Amino acid sequence: MSHAAAPRPLAARAGAALRGRIRVPGDKSISHRSLMFGAISLGETRIEGLLEADDVLATGRAMAAMGAGVVRDGEGAWRVSGLGCGGLLEPEAVLDFGNAGTGSRLTMGLVGGHAFAATFVGDASLSRRPMGRVLDPLRDMGVEVIARTKDRLPLTLRGPRTPVPITYRVPMASAQVKSAVLLAGLGAPGVTTVIEPIATRDHTERMLVGFGADLSVEIDAAGARIIRLVGRPDLKAQAVVVPGDPSSAAFAIVAGLIVPGSDVTVENVLLNPLRTGLFETLIEMGADLSIENERLSGGERIGDVRVRHSALTGVVVPPERAPAMIDEYPILAVAAAFAEGPTVMEGLEELRVKESDRLAAVARGLEANGIACREGEASLVVEGRRAGVVLGGGSVATHLDHRIAMSFLVLGLAADRPVTVDDTAMIATSFPSFRGLMEGLGAEFVDA
Ligand code: S3P
């Protein structure tokens, strides 16, 4: 099981304007799926731009532990020799996913489609997160689950010889749950159907089609997505180019908007419409944010996102936008702290079950830095900046959550007094080059 290293606190303070062009690492969601789909395809999948961060590397190790060849070929370049759909092998050791919800939950789906047992472990954060949302539909498909604490890691799964193709209506907006059912469905004879009342990121669907699966999506009269997957397909190795992660780009983008005088461009960012809710919201707040050099790559829209320091105004963020910006609420809350007037965010129930209870972590972090906010069960109202109030000076508890750490460091870059976060170690799970890239733009960090 993962053991926590010594915490690494860091402070951020306001300094010069942020200026320059950067590229952030590859998209985390697409990186996990590239390794997984490579492992279950026949032939050699070549990946460029893979996110080489702890979460994704754990998925690579898990695929290797189940028999795939996973080899690094240079920076961000990886080759995966796959075993074909249904060809994974029983791992000899436990699969350690560290902090990674996506890696662990999607792999549970994969294991559920194979007639063998695998044991999943993770760090303290992952071991607290609810797994029942994935395990319940997997049980319906015939998967056996053994756990010391109900539906929490560590746990062991055993896939049945013949998984049952089910029809499953996903009860919460979760791409991880949708994907786990589809991945188990790859091992089932017949058609597995997932009904998604609220659309979430569609990388699994797009990429499975790209690897040769027979998968269709229909929108019903109520607007729900009905995803039908024919099981036991012949998946073929692909060449995958992973675009830059919009969820990582978000930190430099918001920093550029709130630090006076800034002009920042993040190149090569994934602009899948189910991921760009933050950019829409920032534009509504009055951000000077433009997309340049827009193009298509591997079936996805990508582009360079340019921001200049802007006077922001608080807005009401429509709850139906939440799935398209679910990982971006912490950094949006930081932007909202510098806006004129309140920003209202609703439909945030899923934030309670991320790497930390992000709703509470954000609210406490804002309060510690002089920013008034109101935390509801599934909502957050951030009062904008008020004249005479000194922002910053606080110490923020990050609760093993990379996005809490990066968001509050960005706050410190524009606050009146430095902001300290209690631990930056978790930033390595998704964005190891965060500090270096931000310093390259002119950000000032001080080891605390
Ligand atoms: C992800 C889905 C989202 C997101 C996570 C990545 C994915 O989680 O928060 O960072 O790659 O499928 P949920 O499915 O729990 O919303």
Side-chain angles (χ1 to χ4, degrees):
M1 198 173 308
S2 313
H3 289 286
R8 273 181 260 148
L10 189 67
R13 64 179 180 213
L18 305 179
R19 292 183 163 264
R21 303 176 73 85
I22 58 169
R23 276 185 179 225
V24 295
D27 185 66
K28 183 146 75 79
S29 295
I30 295 180
S31 293
H32 280 299
R33 287 160 173 84
S34 304
L35 292 168
M36 290 177 189
F37 299 169
I40 57 169
S41 295
L42 275 184
E44 187 177 86
T45 286
R46 287 178 174 270
I47 309 170
E48 268 177 59
L50 187 86
L51 167 63
E52 294 175 327
D54 291 351
D55 277 13
V56 173
L57 296 177
T59 291
R61 282 193 297 274
M63 296 307 118
M66 292 190 286
V70 180
V71 178
R72 188 172 192 259
D73 227 8
E75 203 188 320
W78 289 70
R79 285 184 279 122
V80 182
S81 305
L83 300 158
C85 191
L88 294 178
L89 304 169
E90 182 164 89
E92 284 175 11
V94 298
L95 304 177
D96 187 344
F97 284 93
N99 194 249
T102 305
S104 57
R105 289 182 174 136
L106 269 58
T107 304
M108 286 179 195
L110 278 181
V111 167
H114 287 78
F116 60 66
T119 298
F120 293 72
V121 302
D123 72 2
S125 156
L126 191 59
S127 303
R128 276 193 295 267
R129 297 181 68 183
M131 295 298 163
R133 49 181 52 206
V134 167
L135 299 174
D136 287 342
L138 293 183
R139 287 184 178 105
D140 292 347
M141 299 176 88
V143 177
E144 202 188 320
V145 183
I146 303 161
R148 203 188 312 132
T149 307
K150 190 172 170 6
D151 295 346
R152 294 284 188 279
L153 262 52
L155 57 78
T156 299
L157 293 191
R158 177 181 289 281
R161 196 153 296 283
T162 309
V164 181
I166 58 168
T167 293
Y168 191 68
R169 193 178 174 88
V170 186
M172 68 292 288
S174 169
Q176 293 177 359
V177 175
K178 162 178 69 178
S179 301
V181 176
L182 290 171
L183 296 189
L186 288 172
V191 177
T192 293
T193 305
V194 177
I195 303 168
E196 191 178 42
I198 302 162
T200 62
R201 66 189 69 196
D202 58 357
H203 307 303
T204 297
E205 298 92 303
R206 285 172 184 253
M207 291 178 70
L208 278 179
V209 170
F211 276 81
D214 181 349
L215 179 149
S216 64
V217 181
E218 188 196 325
I219 313 288
D220 74 8
R225 295 174 80 239
I226 303 174
I227 307 156
R228 294 189 181 87
L229 170 74
V230 180
R232 304 190 165 174
D234 289 326
L235 300 180
K236 287 185 199 64
Q238 297 296 313
V240 181
V241 180
V242 185
D245 194 329
S247 301
S248 298
F251 301 108
I253 287 167
V254 169
L257 290 170
I258 62 176
V259 175
S262 297
D263 185 348
V264 171
T265 300
V266 186
E267 297 175 346
N268 196 43
V269 179
L270 172 69
L271 297 174
N272 177 310
L274 291 165
R275 299 289 299 281
T276 49
L278 174 74
F279 303 157
E280 267 174 75
T281 303
L282 291 172
I283 289 169
E284 288 171 7
M285 294 172 82
D288 179 352
L289 182 156
S290 55
I291 309 288
E292 299 173 349
N293 195 15
E294 209 175 317
R295 55 212 187 267
L296 277 177
S297 169
E300 291 282 11
R301 201 165 68 93
I302 60 171
D304 305 338
V305 183
R306 179 179 186 184
V307 287
R308 278 168 275 204
H309 173 248
S310 305
L312 301 176
T313 312
V315 293
V316 178
V317 186
E320 56 275 14
R321 193 179 292 160
M325 55 179 294
I326 193 66
D327 291 336
E328 280 67 77
Y329 282 101
I331 191 67
L332 174 66
V334 169
F338 291 89
E340 177 82 36
T343 293
V344 180
M345 310 171 203
E346 284 164 343
L348 305 187
E349 53 279 357
E350 282 295 305
L351 287 197
R352 297 258 181 225
V353 290
K354 294 295 177 189
E355 285 82 332
S356 68
D357 175 346
R358 276 193 184 150
L359 195 36
V362 167
R364 297 298 84 73
L366 293 173
E367 288 162 1
N369 287 288
I371 300 145
C373 65
R374 284 195 306 284
E375 176 194 353
E377 198 42 54
S379 65
L380 182 68
V381 179
V382 180
E383 297 298 342
R385 179 157 212 179
R386 274 180 283 202
V389 175
V390 176
L391 294 193
S395 179
V396 176
T398 53
H399 302 285
L400 295 176
D401 190 329
H402 54 133
R403 297 197 201 283
I404 297 298
M406 290 185 278
S407 298
F408 282 97
L409 288 171
V410 169
L411 175 73
L413 298 177
D416 306 307
R417 296 168 60 202
V419 174
T420 306
V421 300
D422 68 352
D423 189 14
T424 52
M426 286 298 138
I427 294 175
T429 63
S430 71
F431 194 175
S433 52
F434 168 80
R435 181 175 179 174
L437 284 175
M438 295 299 292
E439 285 176 338
L441 292 172
E444 287 187 29
F445 298 120
V446 189
D447 289 297

